[in-house]
Amino acid sequence: MTEVINRPGGTAPGDKGLKGGALGLLSSVVIGMASTAPAYSLAASLGALVLLSGEKAPAVLLLAFVPMYLIAVAYRELNRAEPDCGTTFTWAGRAFGPWMGWLGGWGIIAADVIVMANLAQVAGQYSFVLVGADALAESTLWTTVTGVVWILVMTYICYRGIEISARLQYALLGIELVVLAIFAVTALVRVYTGDAPEGSMMPSLGWLWPGGLEIPDLVDAVLIAVFLYWGWDTAVAINEESDEPGRTPGRAAVLSTLLLVVTYVLVAVSAVAFAGTGTEGIGLGNEENSDDVFAALGSAVFGEGGFGQFFVILLIISVLTSSAASTQTTILPTARAALSMGAYRALPRKFADIHPRYLTPTWATWGMGIASIVFYVGLTLISENVLADSISATGLLIAFYYGLTGFACVWFYRRELRGRGLWTKGVLPGLGGLMLLVAFVLSSIDYASADAGSTTVFGIGGVFVIGIGAIALGAVLMLVYSRIAPAFFRGETLRQGTSDLLLHDERGGPHFGLPDSEESTVIAPDRSNLPPGQEPDDPPRP
């Protein structure tokens, strides 16, 4: 018998007990955008982007948007067919079989756990910067302790319910976007009125075209920009809690990427125009500014007066709330990926447990929070350089599972590629997957160089070791778990190329589950666990 733990509260056939109908389109877009942490992402990555591409940084952001949009289309189309919170795990499993599905799920989990370390570190540092405790902000011990507290708080919020999480995101994302807009408008006004400091540059349409960049620098810059966009897929990972699971999440993902590209390009153009790309002072070519461009530019843009300092504080708050918000929204998709893997027995069944009152994953949520803390503290104890390289390695994992999703869409719909579907289900997702595959391969080669990052392991770049090593570790864990629990890997719980057999009940229609039971059962392929007098229903794939 192939059981799936379930609890009352969901509404869609085959759901896992999550609170169906809790989120509408606006809530899903907010969560998708908040997951990317716009203020934090720009603060931490815009400087590195300019070091590689100079004034062409806006062009790189536009270029990176292309595969992001194409993969968002793939998410939308796959979600229409099967709105499962496992996303890449489930869809790649349907398209390519359980082994690739498991690796896709692992890619989500590994990327999220790794990035949580950096998010927590930034939240810890900015907590002290906000109150003027600069000495504590520079203390590894106290920033780590505070970062761990942030992870615990946000994990608890995720545990308490998706609606609480969404309401918090309205406030946190609102602060971010308002402050970023004020920053961009103020910087551009000062440039156009001649009030910008020496080294400023008048914006040019040429900044929106990547011509003239060396291929290695362009590829590395695009991977950094992909990291800036990463996170919008959370809007799809919460699909089983949406008001229209097959429609709203996909629309939210596409809208999130469109809103993000507008935000990023506007802020990038304003920052490059105001500060320039020089290597001295506030110039974005100055490596001392690359870790946090807003810390370098805040006072220069808003001024030293009381009004200016008020906005500088708001800028600090926006980065703090951004990293905190993303800490929360990073836990959401990770927990739901683990939940789906537990439901299909790709992970221990405990990961499929749902809280009977809050209707949220229990073991999956707390498990991902604790795993993030262990990883964060462990890397901090080893070396802050290793922590820095681990963030760069996240880009490889993102390219891996986003690209896999694009290819899964093409293969999943391979018999329906005609008319409009040829483009939305085939050409566009396939092109997005191909672009990310090229970026993955070229960046892996580049990161393997000993001087590519902050650390080396046996003469190999630390970024390559962490990124490719994480995927390799997943493959090892997959092989081990396939020996412990082989049902999933034999295709008994998630069958390739079709929906699972559903129990047919004349009173309620097709659904996963035995009548009057809180636990659900997927009918085995040989129908050996079919209840007496019941018939299965195996609906055709959309």
Side-chain angles (χ1 to χ4, degrees), residues 211-483:
L213 292 177
E214 298 291 335
I215 294 299
D217 289 340
L218 179 61
V219 171
D220 289 347
V222 166
L223 205 61
I224 291 174
V226 165
F227 175 77
L228 266 77
Y229 285 104
W230 175 51
W232 53 262
D233 52 306
T234 301
V236 186
I238 55 176
N239 48 20
E240 294 188 38
E241 292 143 290
S242 172
D243 55 356
E244 295 182 75
R247 183 167 179 248
T248 295
R251 294 174 62 200
V254 174
L255 285 173
S256 295
T257 58
L258 292 171
L259 292 171
L260 284 169
V261 70
V262 173
T263 303
Y264 285 160
V265 172
L266 176 62
V267 173
V269 168
S270 64
V272 171
F274 183 86
T277 57
T279 58
E280 302 293 335
I282 64 170
L284 296 183
N286 185 346
E287 292 188 9
E288 294 181 0
N289 300 332
S290 62
D291 289 340
D292 188 345
V293 296
F294 291 144
L297 300 184
S299 296
V301 170
F302 295 120
E304 298 289 346
F307 185 75
Q309 287 306 301
F310 170 74
F311 279 103
V312 169
I313 292 173
L314 282 182
L315 199 57
I316 293 172
I317 291 174
S318 72
V319 177
L320 172 59
T321 58
S322 180
S323 57
S326 191
T327 300
Q328 177 196 349
T329 50
T330 298
I331 295 170
L332 289 176
T334 316
R336 280 146 184 80
L339 166 68
S340 185
M341 294 178 77
Y344 287 111
R345 298 299 173 266
L347 287 178
R349 60 182 295 169
K350 275 292 183 182
F351 281 97
D353 278 355
I354 296 293
H355 194 281
R357 177 183 175 188
Y358 304 138
L359 303 179
T360 56
T362 52
W363 275 61
T365 298
W366 283 108
M368 294 306 106
I370 292 170
S372 299
I373 291 173
V374 171
F375 182 81
Y376 174 35
V377 173
L379 283 194
T380 302
L381 291 174
I382 295 173
S383 169
E384 290 194 27
N385 289 333
V386 176
L387 182 60
D389 277 356
S390 71
I391 303 308
S392 299
T394 304
L396 294 175
L397 291 166
I398 297 167
F400 168 71
Y401 85 83
Y402 272 3
L404 179 61
T405 307
F407 293 131
C409 184
V410 177
W411 192 250
F412 187 88
Y413 285 111
R414 64 191 182 278
R415 296 185 181 91
E416 303 172 30
L417 300 181
R418 52 188 174 274
R420 183 176 180 271
L422 173 64
W423 292 95
T424 59
K425 299 174 182 178
V427 175
L428 299 183
L431 182 59
L434 183 62
M435 293 175 70
L436 290 174
L437 175 61
V438 171
F440 176 85
V441 172
L442 294 180
S443 295
S444 296
I445 294 171
D446 187 43
Y447 282 139
S449 174
D451 59 355
S454 303
T455 59
T456 59
V457 179
F458 301 117
I460 303 174
V463 176
F464 177 90
V465 172
I466 296 171
I468 303 302
I471 297 174
L473 174 62
V476 172
L477 293 176
M478 177 176 65
L479 291 173
V480 171
Y481 196 69
S482 69
R483 299 287 185 177

